[in-house]
Amino acid sequence: MCSETSVRDATSPGNRGRCTRNLLDVIELDEQIRAVAGPLTSARDVTLLAHISPDADALGSALALGLALHRGGAKVRVSFAEPEDVPETLRCLDSAGLAVPATQVPEVPEVLVVLDTGSLQRLGELAGRVAATIDAGGAVVVIDHHASNPRYGTHHLIDDSAEATAVLVLALLDELGVTVDEPIARCLYAGLLTDTSSFRRATPATHATAGRLLEAGVAPDALGRELQDSHPFAWLPMLSTVLAGARLEPESARGLGLVHAAVPADAVAAVRTEEVEGVVDVVRGTTEAEVAVVLKELSPGRWTVSLRAKSRLDVRAVAQSLGGGGHRLAAGCTLDGSVEEALAALRTALAEAPLL
Ligand code: AMP
Ligand code: MN
Ligand code: MN
């Protein structure tokens, strides 16, 4: 098992120190966990932020840690810059009603925790709270699994080998001595489920972690259905129109194949953000294409782009070259102009993408 062991394996309860292969990584991660636990142990008022358009990992991680701190007696709020409300499918995670609109985030938070957010830009209009907190002498704890994270806080728990930020939050909760009950476990399981493509990219250790969360009482079938498989009927005609416009370009992406589809503003308006974000999960299944791209017109003339690769091309490098970021196999960026202009920029960047 040692050849498969990552720093997370060695930090799960009972596993610490069991394998020596990544001993230095384990020690470093342990140090990071202890360092971020410090300001949280004594915090009386904590603001936890997720990235814009929060997913289950960002919001689930924030709510899991928020629930634990709330139970410990701290005043806790969880927020994100946009959209205004918690996405419908994620509401089942907020069992204690900790989420507040961005307008209720203090100008100068006492202690700020930023989760699953690889860059300040991904905090949207709340990005300024980071500098405001630091300038006032407060702690900014950054917990993330994006390799490109520039460490913009005062305390960092960053491990790009973690499949989800939720994995890091669980390690931190263990350090804090928190009992992981069902509401906390539900939030963490949601992050694991979605960030590992329903456990298809999960290591043995992460499957074991999921087992621990199930033992805490998570109902995986009901939660998975709520998070991933429930759509209003309008999803079907929207998908039909969008997929009819999908195109396959076998020569693009260094000859490995590109499939792309666009969700124009009128299609975006017909459904929830969940349905718009879900389009890429359908398109990415195309066997003839290594890379899938979905362009979403979330505001007029501005395309929010989702990039996915199967295994051979680094789409994070592509997104970064266009001002975005993400992971090697799942990344994103924002492009202005017509859909053809956005596609032309993507084709050019994909032609130079590093092979994995
Ligand atoms: P998405 O396609 O929105 O699900 O995003 C896939 C991955 O790319 C996520 O891990 C995001 O954190 C990252 N990502 C998406 N958009 C951006 C962006 N504009 N800048 C940096 N990272 C991004
Ligand atoms: Mn995320
Ligand atoms: Mn994540």
Side-chain angles (χ1 to χ4, degrees), residues 254-301:
R254 305 193 60 168
L256 297 173
L258 164 68
V259 60
H260 57 81
V263 190
D266 56 344
V268 169
V271 291
R272 310 172 303 177
T273 53
E274 286 92 328
E275 281 70 50
V276 177
E277 297 306 322
V279 172
V280 72
D281 290 323
V282 181
V283 175
R284 73 194 300 187
T286 307
T287 51
E288 296 92 334
E290 164 67 20
V291 176
V293 164
V294 172
L295 302 104
K296 301 160 281 183
E297 194 178 15
L298 298 190
S299 55

Side-chain angles (χ1 to χ4, degrees), residues 51 55 57-58 61 116 144-146 163-166 191 195 327:
H51 58 73
D55 50 27
D57 189 33
S61 295
D116 197 44
D144 190 26
H145 67 134
H146 290 91
E163 291 108 324
T165 297
D195 267 33
H327 307 284

Side-chain angles (χ1 to χ4, degrees), residues 122-271:
R122 298 272 292 156
L123 282 178
E125 65 180 27
L126 290 173
R129 301 303 204 280
V130 170
T133 307
I134 296 173
D135 289 349
V140 174
V141 174
V142 178
I143 306 176
D144 190 26
H145 67 134
H146 290 91
S148 55
N149 192 302
R151 304 175 77 87
Y152 49 81
T154 59
H155 298 70
H156 301 95
L157 172 49
I158 297 173
D159 175 12
D160 70 335
S161 76
E163 291 108 324
T165 297
V167 172
L168 301 172
V169 169
L170 180 57
L172 175 58
L173 295 180
D174 287 337
E175 174 70 23
L176 293 170
V178 171
T179 302
V180 177
D181 60 4
E182 193 280 331
I184 291 178
R186 192 191 320 163
C187 293
L188 298 174
Y189 188 93
L192 283 188
L193 178 74
T194 55
D195 267 33
T196 61
S197 302
S198 303
F199 294 107
R200 271 171 284 168
R201 288 183 290 105
T203 61
T206 302
H207 280 280
T209 298
R212 182 178 162 201
L213 300 175
L214 295 180
E215 273 166 15
V218 173
D221 191 20
L223 183 58
R225 197 174 327 113
E226 173 74 20
L227 291 172
Q228 298 180 314
D229 299 335
S230 300
H231 304 284
F233 178 74
W235 159 240
L236 299 180
M238 180 277 231
L239 202 54
S240 156
T241 310
V242 165
L243 296 184
R247 294 290 175 267
L248 176 67
E249 298 181 12
E251 302 309 321
S252 293
R254 305 193 60 168
L256 297 173
L258 164 68
V259 60
H260 57 81
V263 190
D266 56 344
V268 169
V271 291

Side-chain angles (χ1 to χ4, degrees), residues 121-122 146 277 296 305-308 324-327 330-334:
Q121 178 207 354
R122 298 272 292 156
H146 290 91
E277 297 306 322
K296 301 160 281 183
V305 182
S306 288
L307 293 122
R308 301 289 185 270
H327 307 284
C333 61
T334 302

